Amino acid sequence: MTIEAHRYLAPPGLLAGRNVLVTGAGDGIGRAAALSFAAHGASVILLGRSQQKLEAVYDEITASGAPEPIIQILDLGSATEEHYQTLAGQIEEQLGCLHGLLHNAALLGPRKPLDQYPLKEWREVMTVNVEAGFMLTRALIPALRAAAQASVIFTSSGVGRKGKAFWGAYAVSKFATEGLCQVFADELGSTSAIRVNCINPGATNTSMRRAAYPAEVPTRNPPPAGIMAAYLFLMGDDSREVNGLSLDAQSG
Ligand code: NDP
């Protein structure tokens, strides 16, 4: 199935009354997604490890008149099962249910050949990019089930579909993310109203992209705010029938 999600035109109130959690909401694509979801009516749970960055996003959302967000500080590199259960319990108690979950936070890790790749960094990348997505989704399934419709979005990458030299644990973690998404989608698709898909943002002007391509002219790539159509498509009801797919946020 070909879905041109990057061409989607979201109606203004697309996410009115929805509770949506975004990981890595303090910077880059996660920040843009949080602002965009809030602008379309969602109450956004801003999850990240930097209080200062999350507060800046919180201030921007409240100043815009969008629904007041919630700040949730959590370092996905060191979070335990207890942290995830506590978070899930708070969401169920305060909000009743969760309509959307965007797994966006990730670490790039070192750009090295695998035979020189340090184990410590390998584990850090796999923990943040894969294990956190598994643990957080698992903990939040009851809150997602409590919603009439729910959407879970994992973030992939071009190197999560075709392995490339020197992308190390990052590339492997994105292949694992695609797999995690497919397994959750198959398990939940037939037993719940939860759909699970992947999104590949494509080259986007963020600090991660600038770190990965230091010689590139940053403005060659769109800013995060310029790739939100596909995020809105997958988060809103117009993707209700879409499950287990990996979509692109940019053409080509
Ligand atoms: P950024 O580095 O700009 O943002 C990553 C976000 O993840 C930051 O908010 C960061 O927090 C957060 N994060 C990292 N580690 C942790 C942690 N341990 N706990 C909590 N939060 C954490 O990257 P992008 O915005 O570019 O990337 C967003 C997603 O898009 C990622 O999954 C990335 O792999 C993917 N992607 C990006 C592409 C691009 O061209 N930009 C292309 C393909 C995929 P903090 O600010 O505190 O560091």
Side-chain angles (χ1 to χ4, degrees):
M1 192 191 326
T2 306
I3 298 177
E4 300 222 310
H6 63 281
R7 295 192 195 280
Y8 180 67
L9 287 176
L14 178 76
L15 301 175
R18 308 291 168 94
N19 308 317
V20 176
L21 189 152
V22 178
T23 72
D27 212 341
I29 295 167
R31 172 180 171 276
L35 292 170
S36 184
F37 294 157
H40 287 82
S43 300
V44 184
I45 302 159
L46 308 166
L47 188 149
R49 59 183 172 177
S50 160
Q51 180 154 355
Q52 201 183 357
K53 287 186 182 181
L54 295 181
E55 280 176 358
V57 180
Y58 175 98
D59 288 346
E60 214 172 321
I61 290 174
T62 45
S64 74
E68 187 180 0
I70 295 170
I71 289 181
Q72 184 68 51
I73 311 286
L74 192 63
D75 184 336
L76 299 173
S78 57
T80 63
E81 185 152 23
E82 200 183 338
H83 288 116
Y84 290 112
Q85 289 305 333
T86 303
L87 169 63
Q90 284 169 355
I91 288 174
E92 284 169 59
E93 199 181 299
Q94 286 175 28
L95 304 174
C97 71
L98 189 68
H99 304 88
L101 170 57
L102 170 59
H103 294 289
N104 161 83
L107 282 180
L108 177 62
R111 303 285 316 282
K112 287 188 174 172
L114 284 175
D115 66 354
Q116 294 166 29
Y117 206 94
L119 181 60
K120 182 171 171 287
E121 276 96 337
W122 174 278
R123 287 182 171 152
E124 284 168 2
V125 170
M126 296 305 274
T127 300
V128 174
N129 297 11
V130 185
E131 189 181 296
F134 161 59
M135 297 292 282
L136 187 57
T137 308
R138 195 176 68 164
L140 289 173
I141 283 175
L144 291 161
R145 278 192 194 277
Q149 286 283 330
S151 173
V152 177
I153 308 173
F154 284 94
T155 307
S156 185
S157 164
V159 295
R161 296 172 180 168
K162 170 132 185 49
K164 272 168 74 178
F166 315 130
W167 282 86
Y170 179 84
V172 176
S173 76
K174 294 298 186 179
F175 270 88
T177 298
E178 294 265 355
L180 188 59
C181 166
Q182 287 178 23
V183 176
F184 267 132
D186 205 32
E187 290 175 357
L188 297 172
S190 52
T191 59
S192 74
I194 306 170
R195 61 194 186 280
V196 186
N197 295 283
C198 269
I199 199 162
N200 170 20
T204 309
N205 185 7
T206 66
S207 54
M208 182 186 287
R209 176 75 192 188
R210 293 189 292 273
Y213 292 88
E216 183 179 71
V217 178
T219 49
R220 210 185 83 171
N221 300 315
I227 63 159
M228 286 298 122
Y231 286 79
L232 288 164
F233 171 71
L234 278 181
M235 196 50 84
D237 275 355
D238 290 317
S239 61
R240 189 187 302 234
E241 305 300 330
V242 180
N243 187 43
L245 296 188
S246 188
L247 302 185
D248 293 322
Q250 299 187 47
S251 63

